[in-house]
Amino acid sequence: MSLFALLLFPCAFVYYAAGRFEFVRPRLLTALSALILAGLVCVFRGFFLFRTPYDGASVAFFFLKDAVSCVAVPCVAYAVFMLAVRGAWETKLASFALFMLPFYAVYLPAEMLASPAPLPFFALFVKPVLYLLAVVAAAHELRVFAEAYAQKGIVRVVPIVLSVFEMAFPALLETLWHYAFPLVVQGFDFFIYVAVVAVRTACLSRVMRFVSRQK
């Protein structure tokens, strides 16, 4: 386990909290809840689920396994939090990063430590960065979704579609790496992912607000 993998999400949370301190300060219970839920999930998986590395040839199965482990489990924990805590749903959606950053700070290193095999460079350095990008991007999509919820049609659908894509894409990139797809394919997919996230970050909010004003 590298210090980079251990410290990336805690450092990202500190940076996020410092930049939005007035929003974060009254909602620190959200971050604490994420830490507790992540710990409980890790304990449950460690003691009650027997996991072995998948070495089969099915690319689709590996992708689904990785997506369930690293995406679906944290998202289900976030859904449980949203249902359990009172408050406006817009505020809960805006707290996505506030929940996910602490959750992944515990959950992702625990997933790495559970691996019986030595961890490669991808798992120690690339994978944490990919999921950090996914959390930041999906958090933005959910804020846009909250703003556009009163609208109809594509204005409301686009942020949800993009958030699913952004959260699932790291699992796809790990699948390509695991099965040693050509570096050109891996690099092209990584470039597409980063480009979509960057374009979305720069342009989508403005486009959505413009479309909303035309309604």
Side-chain angles (χ1 to χ4, degrees), residues 4 9 28 46-47 50 54 62-63 76 80 84 97 103 114 116 122 124 130 132 135 184-185 195 213:
F4 179 82
F9 276 93
L28 288 177
F47 282 94
F50 180 74
Y54 177 72
F62 183 92
F63 168 75
V76 168
V80 170
F103 191 94
F122 184 95
L124 291 173
L130 288 174
L132 177 59
V135 168
V184 173
V185 175
R213 287 196 295 268

Side-chain angles (χ1 to χ4, degrees), residues 6-141:
L6 286 172
L7 297 178
L8 179 64
F9 276 93
C11 290
F13 174 78
V14 171
Y15 178 81
Y16 174 82
R20 305 187 67 196
F21 185 71
E22 294 302 321
F23 174 81
V24 171
R25 183 174 59 180
R27 299 174 179 85
L28 288 177
L29 184 60
T30 298
L32 180 61
S33 301
L35 291 173
I36 294 173
L37 275 174
L40 291 175
V41 170
C42 291
V43 169
F44 178 82
R45 296 192 69 180
F47 282 94
F48 299 103
L49 295 180
F50 180 74
R51 293 175 294 167
T52 57
Y54 177 72
D55 295 323
S58 175
V59 175
F61 183 82
F62 183 92
F63 168 75
L64 290 174
K65 179 178 179 294
D66 197 52
V68 168
S69 177
C70 294
V71 180
V73 170
C75 288
V76 168
Y78 174 66
V80 170
F81 164 78
M82 288 190 65
L83 293 174
V85 177
R86 295 181 179 180
W89 66 269
E90 294 93 341
T91 303
K92 296 177 184 178
L93 288 175
S95 300
F96 181 81
L98 185 59
F99 180 91
M100 283 298 193
L101 291 175
F103 191 94
Y104 273 110
V106 174
Y107 184 75
L108 203 56
E111 282 288 293
M112 295 178 182
L113 290 173
S115 174
L119 294 173
F121 179 87
F122 184 95
L124 291 173
F125 296 96
V126 179
K127 185 174 180 177
V129 171
L130 288 174
Y131 279 104
L132 177 59
L133 287 175
V135 168
V136 172
H140 181 81
E141 304 297 354

Side-chain angles (χ1 to χ4, degrees), residues 152-168:
K152 295 181 180 180
I154 192 171
V155 175
R156 187 164 55 182
V157 172
V158 168
I160 295 299
V161 173
L162 286 176
S163 63
V164 172
F165 165 80
E166 289 155 355
M167 288 300 295

